[in-house]
């Protein structure tokens, strides 16, 4: 089913359609949020809020503006930004630090990735993992396509720089 | 073209984008740019590998359902313009929140064998509610709240699902709507229930969309408190307390709301009570348009209507005032529910003063 068809069913309150939508994307959104907010529980909560927001306010999606998937991740990103705004500054520092240490899939790249700034993490994850196109990224981040290109380059360079400064990496490469 | 000029195109190339011919030629013959491209590809592959592991676990199952009943329906049935900022969710919620007094609250030591968890729930900057939850009595294992918080209407319901040693599992439903929106028990019931393990003594943060998180703290108690919170028995100057109100007509009980409570603490607010088949009663400290002046005796309100004597009897002193006003609307049906589905409930609602000095339910901004 295409985005327009799926969205019509969701807008009409078709719980079955929304459950299918949730099943397909929930774990992916949660994985994305694990790198956008601090902690497993926060990622779970923000993911749930993301789907709840869409379920409660279906008029928000416009098929002319992009794909349903881009819309979903755009909401998730905004929810994550809201989550960070609600943290107290001193708490945020502690949480950010915690986020950089928590990974169940430890690897040099993963460690380097977790040391990136949030915006870079968001952009790289959506591009490399979710395969969002430049146009979709422009919609999600609300920036021009040209800016997507330059920011992706900056994010990759930042990741590469951190990766290369990792002591173990020098010996490996 | 040199490496400095070509690097951004390396990133674009990695994304499958077309790049200028000169950039493509440079990258093809430049060892440094080739190395950068391989690094980008390797980084992307590693991120996808990580994601493959992180998305392996399925998200928790949820049931999605939209509520059918909204209180806006009953605005159209005679209470047009009325706003309900606070309501007891009688279907979902057996417990009471915001009952007054510290009387009879006995805390037990952490990790002791209490049977009741007394939660303190903070929403926004000013809203604090008490929520006692029983681990042994299903009639007292849930509570809820609706009110204005940070320019929004917030509703939440908390249910104690199970206990495991010192910890309890809480099921929490919440809904955030614009401040002008109405909210019914069905709105909350249609929300997904999130589940949390909570250990009394700890702090639980529950995220809300667009609002500060709920901050939940708690202690074990050895019994369900008759009163909780910080109020004493003496009502404040503008306070009107309706706790477990029973309504008598003559000697006949025509309404009994055991466990329901509305506490008004502002002059421009009123307690609002609905009994199935009896209609609604708006109780205020100021004269309402069409309201009956009623006499207050400690925990009783006495008035006459249609030649019949009526008495509200409540579980605590009601107000310092000698008189209140009772506005009765017979036949008022808030939900238009079928027989058997109805339930009583109470809430606090805003009222506004008219030029003639009478008070009416506040107009609702749409």
């Amino acid at each position: 089913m295409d985005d327009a068809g799926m969205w019509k069913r969701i807008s009409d309150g078709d719980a079955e359609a929304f459950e299918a939508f949730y099943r397909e994307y929930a774990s992916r959104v949660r994985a994305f949020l694990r790198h956008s907010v601090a902690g497993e529980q926060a990622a779970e909560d923000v993911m749930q809020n993301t789907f709840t927001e869409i379920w409660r306010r279906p008029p928000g999606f416009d098929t002319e503006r992009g794909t349903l998937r881009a819309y979903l991740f755009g909401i998730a990103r905004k929810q994550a930004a809201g989550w960070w705004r609600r943290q107290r500054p001193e708490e945020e520092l502690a949480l950010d630090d915690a986020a950089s240490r928590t990974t169940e899939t430890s690897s040099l790249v993963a460690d380097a990735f977790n040391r990136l700034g949030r915006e870079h993490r968001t952009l790289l994850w959506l591009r490399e993992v979710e395969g969002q196109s430049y146009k979709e990224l422009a919609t999600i981040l609300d920036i021009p396509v040209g800016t997507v290109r330059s920011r992706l380059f900056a994010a990759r360079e930042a990741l590469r720089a951190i990766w290369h400064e990792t002591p173990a990496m020098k010996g490996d490469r | 073209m040199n490496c400095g000029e070509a690097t951004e195109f390396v990133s674009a190339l990695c994304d499958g984008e077309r790049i200028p011919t000169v950039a493509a030629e440079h990258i093809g013959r430049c060892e440094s740019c080739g190395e950068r491209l391989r690094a980008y590809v390797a980084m992307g592959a590693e991120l996808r590998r990580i994601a493959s592991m992180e998305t392996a676990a399925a998200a928790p199952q949820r049931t999605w359902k939209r509520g059918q009943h909204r209180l806006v329906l009953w605005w159209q049935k005679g209470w047009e313009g009325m706003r309900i900022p606070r309501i007891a969710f009688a279907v979902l919620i057996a417990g009471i929140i915001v009952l007054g007094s510290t009387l009879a609250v006995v805390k037990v030591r952490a990790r002791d064998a209490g049977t009741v968890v007394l939660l303190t729930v903070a929403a926004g900057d000013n809203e604090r509610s008490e929520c006692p939850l029983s681990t042994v009595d299903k009639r007292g294992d849930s509570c809820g709240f609706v009110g204005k918080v940070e320019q929004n209407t917030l509703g939440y319901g908390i249910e104690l699902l199970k206990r495991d040693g010192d910890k309890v599992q809480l099921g929490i439903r919440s809904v955030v709507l614009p401040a002008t929106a109405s909210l019914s028990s069905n709105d909350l019931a249609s929300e997904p229930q999130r589940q949390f393990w909570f250990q009394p003594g700890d702090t639980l943060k529950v995220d809300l969309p667009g609002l500060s998180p709920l901050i939940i703290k708690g202690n074990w108690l050895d019994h369900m408190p008759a009163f909780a919170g910080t109020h004493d028995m003496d009502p404040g100057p503008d306070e009107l307390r309706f706790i477990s109100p029973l309504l008598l007509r003559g000697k006949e009980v025509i309404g009994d709301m055991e466990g329901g409570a509305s506490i008004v603490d502002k002059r421009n607010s009123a307690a609002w009570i609905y009994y199935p088949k009896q209609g609604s009663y708006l109780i205020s400290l100021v004269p309402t348009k069409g309201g009956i002046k009623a006499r207050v005796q400690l925990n009783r309100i006495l008035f006459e209507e249609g030649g019949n004597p009526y008495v509200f009897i409540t579980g605590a002193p009601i107000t310092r005032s000698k008189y209140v006003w009772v506005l009765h609307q017979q036949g008022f049906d808030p939900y238009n529910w079928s027989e058997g589905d109805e339930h009583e409930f109470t809430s606090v609602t805003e009222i506004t003063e008219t030029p003639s000095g009478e008070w009416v339910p506040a107009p609702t901004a749409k």
Side-chain angles (χ1 to χ4, degrees):
Chain A
M1 185 182 301
D2 63 8
D3 280 359
M6 171 63 89
W7 193 249
K8 180 165 188 332
R9 288 182 62 187
I10 292 172
S11 301
D12 290 344
D14 185 335
E16 197 176 315
F18 196 75
E19 277 172 22
F21 177 66
Y22 173 82
R23 275 198 307 274
E24 181 172 354
Y25 287 109
S27 61
R28 290 165 61 174
V29 171
R30 183 180 58 191
F32 163 64
L33 289 167
R34 285 186 65 195
H35 299 279
S36 302
V37 297
E40 291 286 333
Q41 187 61 57
E44 181 77 34
D45 290 347
V46 177
M47 181 272 283
Q48 298 288 355
N49 285 344
T50 298
F51 281 91
T52 301
E53 176 77 9
I54 292 172
W55 179 240
R56 288 195 58 80
R57 295 179 176 82
F61 175 59
D62 178 1
T63 51
E64 300 290 317
R65 288 201 66 229
T67 63
L68 186 51
R69 187 180 60 152
Y71 175 68
L72 170 64
F73 279 91
I75 298 282
R77 177 180 164 271
K78 285 176 186 161
Q79 291 280 337
W83 185 89
W84 279 108
R85 275 198 301 277
R86 292 192 295 276
Q87 309 309 310
R88 291 195 295 272
E90 64 275 21
E91 205 172 22
E92 182 167 347
L93 286 173
L95 289 169
D96 221 5
D97 184 49
S100 70
R101 291 195 307 268
T102 55
T103 171
E104 294 171 357
T105 53
S106 185
S107 73
L108 292 171
V109 171
D111 291 344
F113 182 73
N114 283 327
R115 290 167 60 193
L116 282 178
R118 284 203 303 277
E119 286 301 319
H120 282 166
R121 285 203 301 266
T122 297
L123 191 58
L124 276 180
W125 190 271
L126 291 175
R127 173 62 215 158
E128 296 287 11
V129 175
E130 288 302 321
Q132 306 274 12
S133 68
Y134 281 19
K135 189 179 170 192
E136 286 175 316
L137 290 171
T139 302
I140 293 170
L141 303 173
D142 204 19
I143 56 177
V145 170
T147 307
V148 170
R149 182 181 293 111
S150 58
R151 286 194 188 174
L152 265 172
F153 166 63
R156 286 191 170 108
E157 274 302 287
L159 178 58
R160 196 173 77 103
I162 297 170
W163 183 22
H164 281 199
E165 78 184 20
T166 307
M169 197 63 234
K170 288 174 183 167
D172 288 349
R173 299 194 76 218
Chain B
M1 177 169 277
N2 57 35
C3 290
E5 294 166 330
T7 47
E8 188 166 335
F9 294 116
V10 175
S11 176
L13 193 63
C14 184
D15 290 325
E17 297 285 302
R18 291 180 69 90
I19 60 174
T21 306
V22 287
E25 286 172 353
H26 173 87
I27 294 167
R29 65 171 183 270
C30 173
E31 189 177 333
S32 172
C33 288
E35 174 66 16
R36 176 174 272 107
L37 179 58
R38 285 189 289 279
Y40 286 176
V41 171
M43 291 186 311
E46 181 61 9
L47 290 179
R48 287 188 289 279
R49 186 187 70 81
I50 295 164
S52 299
M53 291 192 286
E54 291 186 352
T55 55
Q61 281 194 328
R62 286 175 57 171
T63 301
W64 302 92
K65 184 183 170 190
R66 288 214 175 103
Q68 299 300 313
H69 300 283
R70 283 183 175 273
L71 288 184
V72 69
L73 293 176
W74 53 258
W75 289 352
Q76 296 157 4
K77 287 183 167 290
W79 285 73
E80 194 168 349
M82 185 170 180
R83 181 184 298 175
I84 303 294
R86 192 182 297 233
I87 180 174
F89 293 107
V91 168
L92 289 169
I93 297 152
I96 309 168
I97 58 172
V98 203
L99 287 186
S101 179
T102 53
L103 289 177
V105 176
V106 179
K107 293 181 180 178
V108 296
R109 293 191 309 276
R111 301 178 186 282
D112 207 340
T115 57
V116 173
V117 180
L118 179 62
L119 300 179
T120 304
V121 186
D125 294 331
N126 302 315
E127 200 62 60
R128 300 284 182 280
S129 298
E130 302 257 323
C131 169
L133 300 174
S134 173
T135 60
V136 293
D137 185 353
K138 295 300 287 179
R139 293 171 304 171
D141 67 355
S142 59
C143 67
F145 166 90
V146 170
K148 269 198 263 178
V149 174
E150 294 176 354
Q151 310 305 316
N152 289 276
T153 296
L154 166 67
Y156 64 77
I158 303 177
E159 183 181 1
L160 193 149
L161 300 174
K162 65 173 89 159
R163 176 179 182 172
D164 182 5
D166 294 332
K167 294 187 296 184
V168 291
Q169 188 181 38
L170 303 177
I172 300 179
R173 298 176 197 271
S174 63
V175 58
V176 178
L177 296 173
T180 54
S182 60
L183 190 58
S184 79
S185 57
N186 290 290
D187 285 320
L188 195 61
S190 66
E191 293 300 317
Q193 185 185 69
R194 289 181 283 168
Q195 297 177 358
F196 303 87
W197 281 101
F198 175 67
Q199 178 144 6
D202 291 347
T203 299
L204 173 65
K205 288 171 71 174
V206 178
D207 276 330
L208 300 170
L211 280 185
S212 303
L214 292 178
I215 306 294
I216 300 176
K217 299 180 178 180
N219 290 296
W220 284 110
L221 302 180
D222 64 358
H223 67 286
M224 181 60 79
F227 296 97
T230 56
H231 298 268
D232 59 29
M233 291 292 283
D234 188 24
D238 287 324
E239 206 166 38
L240 178 67
R241 300 176 181 176
F242 247 60
I243 297 170
S244 290
L246 180 83
L247 179 59
L248 298 174
R249 179 172 52 213
K251 295 181 179 179
E252 179 192 7
V253 176
I254 60 170
D256 184 0
M257 195 177 310
E258 182 186 358
S262 287
I263 299 178
V264 173
D265 56 6
K266 295 182 185 68
R267 191 174 161 79
N268 66 340
S269 297
W272 187 77
I273 296 157
Y274 171 75
Y275 293 118
K277 298 184 173 55
Q278 301 303 324
S280 65
Y281 295 85
L282 190 77
I283 318 295
S284 62
L285 295 170
V286 290
T288 46
K289 189 175 182 181
I292 301 166
K293 190 174 184 180
R295 193 155 45 89
V296 178
Q297 289 180 348
L298 196 63
N299 69 329
R300 299 174 184 207
I301 293 175
L302 303 93
F303 62 100
E304 279 193 14
E305 186 184 30
N308 293 311
Y310 287 80
V311 183
F312 271 115
I313 302 175
T314 78
I318 296 167
T319 176
R320 294 184 187 181
S321 299
K322 290 183 179 176
Y323 298 98
V324 294
W325 278 259
V326 178
L327 177 61
H328 179 208
Q329 192 166 61
Q330 183 84 39
F332 173 65
D333 180 359
Y335 293 110
N336 196 22
W337 281 352
S338 58
E339 195 168 346
D341 284 341
E342 292 185 317
H343 58 77
E344 66 280 358
F345 62 82
T346 183
S347 72
V348 176
T349 189
E350 285 181 44
I351 53 176
T352 187
E353 189 171 14
T354 62
S356 65
E358 292 179 312
W359 292 71
V360 294
T364 302
K366 301 265 179 161

